[in-house]
Amino acid sequence: MYHVSVDNQVPYYFYTNMQDNTTMRGPAVQVGFGGFGRAAEPGWDRGMGGCESGFTYADPTDPNIVWATCYGDEVTRWDAKTKLARSVSPWLHTLDSPPNDTKYRCHWTAPLAIDPFDHNTVYYGCQVIFKTTNGGQSWSVISPDLSTRDPKYLVPSGGIVGDNLGQFYGEVVFAIAPSTVQNNLVWAGTNDGKVWFTKDGKQWNDVTRNVGMKPWGTITSIQPSFFDAGTAYISVDYHLMDDRDPFLYKTTDFGQTWTKISGGLPSHQLSYVRVIAEDPNCKGLLFAGTGNGLYYSLDGGGHWTNLQNGLPHSPVSWAVVQKQFHDLVISTYGRGIYILDDITPLEQMAKGVGSDTSVSLFTPRQTVRILGGGRAYVNFQLKNPPKGPVQAAILDADGKVIRELRNVPSRPGLNRAQWDLHYDPPRLVALRTTPPENPHIMEEPRFRGQDSRPITHWGAAQAEVGPVAPPGKYTMRLTVDGESYTQPLEIVRDPSSHGSDADLQAQAKLQLRIRDDINSASDMINQLEWMRKQLDDVQKMLRADRSKTELLKSVQEMDQKMQSVEYKLVSKALTTSDDKYFIAAYKVYFNLIWLNGEVGTGAGDVAGGADYGPTDTALSLTDMIEKDLAAAKGEYRALIDKDVPAFNRTLAASGVTPLSANN
């Protein structure tokens, strides 16, 4: 994998060229929950023009248009609407051509760049730089030959296998980088150690000598600063010259003077730098990809820290920060694409946050409500090991806890807890009694050693979740050794959402109502199951004592009364915990479970509706089920408040332990 870029969609897509697998793009987060007949994750687009080498970029104003390059002087423009790519190369296809026998030498990874001030302006590099302003219909050459033009290097590379794809072409432009700060400012670098810039697209300035670097290095990347027009960073790779040390340089005066900033990077066999990238949200926060790792600097290259946690050691070929999401996206050679979600803690550390406090809870990024892929992070830093468990929670606008986060890390240094944007899920039924149809059910491997079992049903588990939080204001709270720290959290609607903020808030309100109804039904069923399990134990004891026949009959009658109430709340067929064999209509509990899927994020072959306002049917069904719930609740209260106390007195008078409540 050679290169990765990102677009400006929400959620965003990343674009890459992959060895032997053409150009591809895929979503940065999973979108949607999936279900029967739907993919769990959206598919990738493949073969979007270009090929395995080169660069791939989406038009910044229209991600349906994708530009890509390939070896042999190939440039394409792909349209997602038609899934067709158009060849718009500026010159002949030069596959198989020796570098000294073609007018334009175009490398295996010929660079491409879209002008940030005009998306119709696209640059492409061979030994000169081409420019188009009309979608590749025509091109003009806007630079001289930017290489050293040394004839002894303009020959085939030789070796056992000849180079027919431009992989070892010398004397070519290897990096093109337009400034995002100053219009018409474009930087360029070659693979024979030349660095140039133009301020008008006509006059090119050679600043190579000012850098102070050895000759014949490959300018692998150029990063114009997002904050100052005169500032730029370059990475230079000498490993083909048998020097594998890191080389990074910075200028703040349009290349008149340069400072080497790679002194803090380790020097070893694979230290050569492939890419340098700046965070567009934070001046001075830099990332460097080397031959076997990734590093960051909080101070413009003064100091470097390894960022390897979770990332395998491999060549990091490209890095880019997606501005809106504050995500770091990198490509590696041979190990895939990686995304470090939410680097706002590094951005805030670069600005001095957390440098003098024992506990730092970082300000969270604005969180987009993306179904299936939205998440918010509780990012915090600990100077010392805490004395007890660290706790994290999410509060709504009224200060009510809506989600306690579990397994919060607590090591010294940076830590992160994740919230999937869901409220607490409903409490579920825990069956304790043995169904007559399967007297050995608790001996099965799936339940062995447990004192209860769930109701299992194909597809239903996806509906047993809490609502996705609607757009609005929230608070994240961190508690360390009794001290609490808070930060405001804002959730915003996905721009592609079909519902308005008011729709999503109404849907969440309805789902919370359904969740609370599920809790009410579950609590009653679980209480009945708890007491009925005790009745089972009493019956086993009384069957061994013939003098207790009347009491046994009384126990059996009480069990029937409890079953009568319980099976108004849940169908008896479901208590067998059989995934697929059911021949009975649902009762209150499972009607609510499936309605939770309909209103929420789906389940089984139910699509869900969490991205819309509630339907009239959903509202009327909730009213209808709640009437059944209220009726069952009346019978339950009469049983618990009147029948059970009287029954317990009978048990106590007979020397049998009364039934206890489930606490």
Side-chain angles (χ1 to χ4, degrees), residues 181-355:
V181 177
Q182 182 171 312
N183 193 13
N184 293 320
L185 172 60
V186 181
W187 292 85
T190 71
N191 69 348
D192 58 354
K194 302 286 286 184
V195 180
W196 303 74
F197 77 89
T198 179
K199 290 184 178 181
D200 58 8
K202 300 176 183 178
Q203 179 65 42
W204 287 84
N205 303 282
D206 184 353
V207 295
T208 306
R209 185 173 298 178
N210 302 340
V211 181
M213 58 184 174
K214 300 184 300 181
W216 307 116
T218 297
I219 312 302
T220 50
S221 69
I222 303 174
Q223 174 66 81
S225 173
F226 292 101
F227 305 94
D228 175 59
T231 298
Y233 307 86
I234 63 172
S235 59
V236 190
D237 179 3
Y238 290 94
H239 87 273
L240 293 179
M241 304 298 293
D242 201 26
D243 184 344
R244 291 162 175 80
D245 285 345
F247 293 91
L248 294 173
Y249 298 90
K250 172 184 178 180
T251 182
T252 58
D253 54 9
F254 293 99
Q256 298 308 300
T257 60
W258 294 79
T259 302
K260 188 178 180 182
I261 60 171
S262 48
L265 290 171
S267 295
H268 53 67
Q269 188 175 0
L270 298 169
S271 292
Y272 52 90
V273 182
R274 305 288 300 274
V275 63
I276 184 167
E278 184 180 42
D279 185 339
N281 298 300
C282 182
K283 186 176 182 179
L285 177 54
L286 304 177
F287 299 93
T290 72
N292 79 332
L294 179 68
Y295 297 83
Y296 72 89
S297 173
L298 301 176
D299 55 6
H303 303 82
W304 292 93
T305 302
N306 184 257
L307 194 58
Q308 211 66 38
N309 189 24
L311 178 68
H313 286 284
S314 59
V316 175
S317 54
W318 206 257
V320 61
V321 176
Q322 207 281 345
K323 185 174 182 179
Q324 184 170 356
F325 276 74
H326 300 258
D327 288 350
L328 173 64
V329 185
I330 68 167
S331 62
T332 68
Y333 187 83
R335 299 301 294 269
I337 296 168
Y338 291 81
I339 299 176
L340 179 57
D341 292 303
D342 188 7
I343 60 171
T344 54
L346 295 180
E347 294 172 350
Q348 292 168 57
M349 289 168 62
K351 298 171 183 176
V353 176
S355 60

Side-chain angles (χ1 to χ4, degrees), residues 105-127:
R105 303 184 301 278
C106 307
H107 197 269
W108 162 269
T109 51
L112 182 77
I114 300 176
D115 195 295
F117 289 91
D118 178 12
H119 70 102
N120 291 310
T121 297
V122 178
Y123 304 98
Y124 172 66
C126 294
Q127 82 270 29

Side-chain angles (χ1 to χ4, degrees), residues 70-75 89-94 104 106 124 126 130:
C70 180
Y71 49 73
D73 183 26
E74 178 66 11
V75 183
S89 303
W91 190 246
L92 293 171
H93 193 44
T94 57
Y104 295 113
C106 307
Y124 172 66
C126 294
F130 294 91

